[in-house]
PDB file of all heavy atoms in Angstrom:
ATOM      1  N   MET A  24     -28.977  78.969-216.364  1.00  0.00           N
ATOM      2  CA  MET A  24     -29.546  77.615-216.278  1.00  0.00           C
ATOM      3  C   MET A  24     -28.724  76.754-215.306  1.00  0.00           C
ATOM      4  O   MET A  24     -27.498  76.808-215.309  1.00  0.00           O
ATOM      5  CB  MET A  24     -29.608  76.929-217.630  1.00  0.00           C
ATOM      6  CG  MET A  24     -30.084  75.470-217.566  1.00  0.00           C
ATOM      7  SD  MET A  24     -29.973  74.597-219.099  1.00  0.00           S
ATOM      8  CE  MET A  24     -31.407  75.286-219.936  1.00  0.00           C
ATOM      9  N   LYS A 126      -8.487  60.783-201.629  1.00  0.00           N
ATOM     10  CA  LYS A 126      -7.360  59.869-202.037  1.00  0.00           C
ATOM     11  C   LYS A 126      -7.648  59.009-203.235  1.00  0.00           C
ATOM     12  O   LYS A 126      -6.876  58.193-203.575  1.00  0.00           O
ATOM     13  CB  LYS A 126      -7.014  58.973-200.808  1.00  0.00           C
ATOM     14  CG  LYS A 126      -6.447  59.706-199.649  1.00  0.00           C
ATOM     15  CD  LYS A 126      -5.838  58.841-198.584  1.00  0.00           C
ATOM     16  CE  LYS A 126      -5.159  59.679-197.482  1.00  0.00           C
ATOM     17  NZ  LYS A 126      -4.487  58.834-196.457  1.00  0.00           N
ATOM     18  N   LYS A 133     -13.583  57.596-214.539  1.00  0.00           N
ATOM     19  CA  LYS A 133     -13.665  59.072-214.478  1.00  0.00           C
ATOM     20  C   LYS A 133     -14.970  59.613-215.033  1.00  0.00           C
ATOM     21  O   LYS A 133     -15.438  60.715-214.689  1.00  0.00           O
ATOM     22  CB  LYS A 133     -12.475  59.681-215.277  1.00  0.00           C
ATOM     23  CG  LYS A 133     -12.620  59.698-216.791  1.00  0.00           C
ATOM     24  CD  LYS A 133     -11.433  60.359-217.449  1.00  0.00           C
ATOM     25  CE  LYS A 133     -11.647  60.485-218.981  1.00  0.00           C
ATOM     26  NZ  LYS A 133     -12.719  61.467-219.287  1.00  0.00           N
ATOM     27  N   GLU A 156      -9.902  56.421-232.257  1.00  0.00           N
ATOM     28  CA  GLU A 156      -9.514  57.175-233.483  1.00  0.00           C
ATOM     29  C   GLU A 156      -7.992  57.271-233.613  1.00  0.00           C
ATOM     30  O   GLU A 156      -7.437  57.126-234.698  1.00  0.00           O
ATOM     31  CB  GLU A 156     -10.140  58.568-233.436  1.00  0.00           C
ATOM     32  CG  GLU A 156      -9.971  59.360-234.701  1.00  0.00           C
ATOM     33  CD  GLU A 156     -10.717  60.682-234.684  1.00  0.00           C
ATOM     34  OE1 GLU A 156     -11.383  60.947-233.658  1.00  0.00           O
ATOM     35  OE2 GLU A 156     -10.644  61.419-235.687  1.00  0.00           O
ATOM     36  N   ARG A 218     -20.733  45.861-212.445  1.00  0.00           N
ATOM     37  CA  ARG A 218     -22.105  46.372-212.650  1.00  0.00           C
ATOM     38  C   ARG A 218     -22.118  47.860-212.730  1.00  0.00           C
ATOM     39  O   ARG A 218     -22.680  48.476-213.627  1.00  0.00           O
ATOM     40  CB  ARG A 218     -23.028  45.892-211.509  1.00  0.00           C
ATOM     41  CG  ARG A 218     -24.437  46.472-211.612  1.00  0.00           C
ATOM     42  CD  ARG A 218     -25.278  46.144-210.409  1.00  0.00           C
ATOM     43  NE  ARG A 218     -24.728  46.633-209.124  1.00  0.00           N
ATOM     44  CZ  ARG A 218     -24.653  47.881-208.756  1.00  0.00           C
ATOM     45  NH1 ARG A 218     -25.170  48.856-209.518  1.00  0.00           N
ATOM     46  NH2 ARG A 218     -24.161  48.242-207.562  1.00  0.00           N
ATOM     47  N   GLU A 222     -23.047  50.053-216.058  1.00  0.00           N
ATOM     48  CA  GLU A 222     -24.223  50.930-215.907  1.00  0.00           C
ATOM     49  C   GLU A 222     -23.852  52.376-216.122  1.00  0.00           C
ATOM     50  O   GLU A 222     -24.633  53.162-216.633  1.00  0.00           O
ATOM     51  CB  GLU A 222     -24.895  50.772-214.563  1.00  0.00           C
ATOM     52  CG  GLU A 222     -25.615  49.451-214.386  1.00  0.00           C
ATOM     53  CD  GLU A 222     -26.263  49.294-212.991  1.00  0.00           C
ATOM     54  OE1 GLU A 222     -26.086  50.200-212.124  1.00  0.00           O
ATOM     55  OE2 GLU A 222     -26.972  48.318-212.798  1.00  0.00           O
ATOM     56  N   VAL A 239      -5.113  42.673-231.333  1.00  0.00           N
ATOM     57  CA  VAL A 239      -4.896  41.247-231.501  1.00  0.00           C
ATOM     58  C   VAL A 239      -5.352  40.667-232.839  1.00  0.00           C
ATOM     59  O   VAL A 239      -5.050  39.590-233.178  1.00  0.00           O
ATOM     60  CB  VAL A 239      -5.523  40.496-230.336  1.00  0.00           C
ATOM     61  CG1 VAL A 239      -5.097  41.002-228.964  1.00  0.00           C
ATOM     62  CG2 VAL A 239      -7.060  40.452-230.450  1.00  0.00           C
ATOM     63  N   GLY A 244     -16.539  40.133-230.848  1.00  0.00           N
ATOM     64  CA  GLY A 244     -16.360  40.174-229.418  1.00  0.00           C
ATOM     65  C   GLY A 244     -17.641  39.838-228.691  1.00  0.00           C
ATOM     66  O   GLY A 244     -18.733  40.043-229.213  1.00  0.00           O
ATOM     67  N   VAL A 256     -27.058  45.337-218.662  1.00  0.00           N
ATOM     68  CA  VAL A 256     -27.271  44.698-220.031  1.00  0.00           C
ATOM     69  C   VAL A 256     -28.040  45.677-220.934  1.00  0.00           C
ATOM     70  O   VAL A 256     -27.635  45.785-222.083  1.00  0.00           O
ATOM     71  CB  VAL A 256     -28.078  43.367-219.807  1.00  0.00           C
ATOM     72  CG1 VAL A 256     -28.462  42.819-221.151  1.00  0.00           C
ATOM     73  CG2 VAL A 256     -27.195  42.335-219.072  1.00  0.00           C
ATOM     74  N   THR A 300     -12.095  29.446-219.116  1.00  0.00           N
ATOM     75  CA  THR A 300     -12.392  28.319-220.003  1.00  0.00           C
ATOM     76  C   THR A 300     -13.851  27.879-219.805  1.00  0.00           C
ATOM     77  O   THR A 300     -14.476  27.406-220.745  1.00  0.00           O
ATOM     78  CB  THR A 300     -11.433  27.128-219.777  1.00  0.00           C
ATOM     79  OG1 THR A 300     -11.558  26.648-218.431  1.00  0.00           O
ATOM     80  CG2 THR A 300      -9.991  27.494-220.069  1.00  0.00           C
ATOM     81  N   TRP A 326     -14.400  28.203-229.952  1.00  0.00           N
ATOM     82  CA  TRP A 326     -14.449  27.266-231.119  1.00  0.00           C
ATOM     83  C   TRP A 326     -12.978  26.978-231.607  1.00  0.00           C
ATOM     84  O   TRP A 326     -12.772  26.891-232.819  1.00  0.00           O
ATOM     85  CB  TRP A 326     -15.292  27.914-232.228  1.00  0.00           C
ATOM     86  CG  TRP A 326     -16.696  27.982-231.790  1.00  0.00           C
ATOM     87  CD1 TRP A 326     -17.524  26.990-231.432  1.00  0.00           C
ATOM     88  CD2 TRP A 326     -17.471  29.199-231.622  1.00  0.00           C
ATOM     89  NE1 TRP A 326     -18.775  27.485-231.039  1.00  0.00           N
ATOM     90  CE2 TRP A 326     -18.786  28.806-231.151  1.00  0.00           C
ATOM     91  CE3 TRP A 326     -17.227  30.586-231.820  1.00  0.00           C
ATOM     92  CZ2 TRP A 326     -19.752  29.751-230.880  1.00  0.00           C
ATOM     93  CZ3 TRP A 326     -18.251  31.464-231.565  1.00  0.00           C
ATOM     94  CH2 TRP A 326     -19.477  31.067-231.068  1.00  0.00           C
ATOM     95  N   THR A 337     -10.474  46.100-216.702  1.00  0.00           N
ATOM     96  CA  THR A 337      -9.239  46.097-217.532  1.00  0.00           C
ATOM     97  C   THR A 337      -9.490  46.890-218.808  1.00  0.00           C
ATOM     98  O   THR A 337      -8.698  47.787-219.178  1.00  0.00           O
ATOM     99  CB  THR A 337      -8.827  44.668-217.878  1.00  0.00           C
ATOM    100  OG1 THR A 337      -8.779  43.871-216.690  1.00  0.00           O
ATOM    101  CG2 THR A 337      -7.496  44.629-218.590  1.00  0.00           C
ATOM    102  N   ARG A 346      -4.802  57.338-224.802  1.00  0.00           N
ATOM    103  CA  ARG A 346      -4.861  58.783-224.931  1.00  0.00           C
ATOM    104  C   ARG A 346      -3.625  59.427-224.281  1.00  0.00           C
ATOM    105  O   ARG A 346      -3.014  60.336-224.887  1.00  0.00           O
ATOM    106  CB  ARG A 346      -6.098  59.393-224.274  1.00  0.00           C
ATOM    107  CG  ARG A 346      -7.365  59.231-225.035  1.00  0.00           C
ATOM    108  CD  ARG A 346      -8.459  60.199-224.469  1.00  0.00           C
ATOM    109  NE  ARG A 346      -8.527  60.121-223.042  1.00  0.00           N
ATOM    110  CZ  ARG A 346      -9.327  59.331-222.365  1.00  0.00           C
ATOM    111  NH1 ARG A 346     -10.106  58.460-223.029  1.00  0.00           N
ATOM    112  NH2 ARG A 346      -9.333  59.347-221.042  1.00  0.00           N
ATOM    113  N   TYR A 355       1.338  55.873-211.451  1.00  0.00           N
ATOM    114  CA  TYR A 355       0.549  55.503-210.256  1.00  0.00           C
ATOM    115  C   TYR A 355       0.967  54.055-209.831  1.00  0.00           C
ATOM    116  O   TYR A 355       1.321  53.230-210.729  1.00  0.00           O
ATOM    117  CB  TYR A 355      -0.927  55.601-210.463  1.00  0.00           C
ATOM    118  CG  TYR A 355      -1.386  56.967-210.842  1.00  0.00           C
ATOM    119  CD1 TYR A 355      -1.800  57.270-212.161  1.00  0.00           C
ATOM    120  CD2 TYR A 355      -1.484  57.992-209.922  1.00  0.00           C
ATOM    121  CE1 TYR A 355      -2.238  58.515-212.490  1.00  0.00           C
ATOM    122  CE2 TYR A 355      -1.913  59.251-210.237  1.00  0.00           C
ATOM    123  CZ  TYR A 355      -2.288  59.537-211.611  1.00  0.00           C
ATOM    124  OH  TYR A 355      -2.735  60.804-211.917  1.00  0.00           O
ATOM    125  N   GLY A 356       0.826  53.758-208.593  1.00  0.00           N
ATOM    126  CA  GLY A 356       1.039  52.352-208.180  1.00  0.00           C
ATOM    127  C   GLY A 356       2.386  52.070-207.612  1.00  0.00           C
ATOM    128  O   GLY A 356       3.120  52.975-207.221  1.00  0.00           O
ATOM    129  N   HIS A 421      -3.244  45.750-191.530  1.00  0.00           N
ATOM    130  CA  HIS A 421      -3.923  46.751-192.407  1.00  0.00           C
ATOM    131  C   HIS A 421      -3.022  47.909-192.854  1.00  0.00           C
ATOM    132  O   HIS A 421      -3.546  48.794-193.541  1.00  0.00           O
ATOM    133  CB  HIS A 421      -5.210  47.205-191.745  1.00  0.00           C
ATOM    134  CG  HIS A 421      -6.289  46.165-191.773  1.00  0.00           C
ATOM    135  ND1 HIS A 421      -7.584  46.418-191.375  1.00  0.00           N
ATOM    136  CD2 HIS A 421      -6.256  44.876-192.164  1.00  0.00           C
ATOM    137  CE1 HIS A 421      -8.317  45.317-191.517  1.00  0.00           C
ATOM    138  NE2 HIS A 421      -7.553  44.368-191.992  1.00  0.00           N
ATOM    139  N   TYR A 457     -19.435  30.395-194.083  1.00  0.00           N
ATOM    140  CA  TYR A 457     -20.230  31.001-195.094  1.00  0.00           C
ATOM    141  C   TYR A 457     -19.611  30.966-196.498  1.00  0.00           C
ATOM    142  O   TYR A 457     -20.296  30.581-197.465  1.00  0.00           O
ATOM    143  CB  TYR A 457     -20.475  32.551-194.712  1.00  0.00           C
ATOM    144  CG  TYR A 457     -21.027  33.326-195.892  1.00  0.00           C
ATOM    145  CD1 TYR A 457     -22.371  33.227-196.254  1.00  0.00           C
ATOM    146  CD2 TYR A 457     -20.158  34.145-196.641  1.00  0.00           C
ATOM    147  CE1 TYR A 457     -22.855  33.906-197.304  1.00  0.00           C
ATOM    148  CE2 TYR A 457     -20.669  34.871-197.738  1.00  0.00           C
ATOM    149  CZ  TYR A 457     -21.985  34.732-198.069  1.00  0.00           C
ATOM    150  OH  TYR A 457     -22.490  35.428-199.149  1.00  0.00           O
ATOM    151  N   SER A 466     -19.724  25.182-206.945  1.00  0.00           N
ATOM    152  CA  SER A 466     -18.811  24.252-207.646  1.00  0.00           C
ATOM    153  C   SER A 466     -19.501  23.653-208.851  1.00  0.00           C
ATOM    154  O   SER A 466     -20.636  23.167-208.740  1.00  0.00           O
ATOM    155  CB  SER A 466     -18.346  23.155-206.697  1.00  0.00           C
ATOM    156  OG  SER A 466     -17.579  22.200-207.405  1.00  0.00           O
ATOM    157  N   LEU A 499      -7.549  18.023-189.909  1.00  0.00           N
ATOM    158  CA  LEU A 499      -8.256  17.477-191.064  1.00  0.00           C
ATOM    159  C   LEU A 499      -8.590  18.612-192.020  1.00  0.00           C
ATOM    160  O   LEU A 499      -8.488  18.383-193.247  1.00  0.00           O
ATOM    161  CB  LEU A 499      -9.539  16.760-190.597  1.00  0.00           C
ATOM    162  CG  LEU A 499     -10.310  16.072-191.689  1.00  0.00           C
ATOM    163  CD1 LEU A 499      -9.494  15.099-192.477  1.00  0.00           C
ATOM    164  CD2 LEU A 499     -11.550  15.334-191.058  1.00  0.00           C
ATOM    165  N   CYS A 513      -9.328  23.939-211.768  1.00  0.00           N
ATOM    166  CA  CYS A 513      -9.260  25.353-212.135  1.00  0.00           C
ATOM    167  C   CYS A 513      -8.910  26.224-210.969  1.00  0.00           C
ATOM    168  O   CYS A 513      -8.909  25.766-209.809  1.00  0.00           O
ATOM    169  CB  CYS A 513     -10.620  25.800-212.739  1.00  0.00           C
ATOM    170  SG  CYS A 513     -11.920  26.022-211.540  1.00  0.00           S
ATOM    171  N   ILE A 607     -28.389  40.070-171.991  1.00  0.00           N
ATOM    172  CA  ILE A 607     -27.011  39.892-172.478  1.00  0.00           C
ATOM    173  C   ILE A 607     -26.863  38.523-173.169  1.00  0.00           C
ATOM    174  O   ILE A 607     -27.718  37.632-172.968  1.00  0.00           O
ATOM    175  CB  ILE A 607     -25.984  39.998-171.317  1.00  0.00           C
ATOM    176  CG1 ILE A 607     -26.282  38.892-170.236  1.00  0.00           C
ATOM    177  CG2 ILE A 607     -26.047  41.351-170.708  1.00  0.00           C
ATOM    178  CD1 ILE A 607     -25.207  38.854-169.159  1.00  0.00           C
TER     179      ILE A 607
END
Side-chain angles (χ1 to χ4, degrees):
M24 176 186 283
K126 292 192 175 182
K133 80 177 187 69
E156 186 174 0
R218 175 188 58 74
E222 289 180 353
V239 307
V256 170
T300 60
W326 296 300
T337 308
R346 282 197 313 269
Y355 300 105
H421 286 188
Y457 166 76
S466 173
L499 182 55
C513 77
I607 60 174

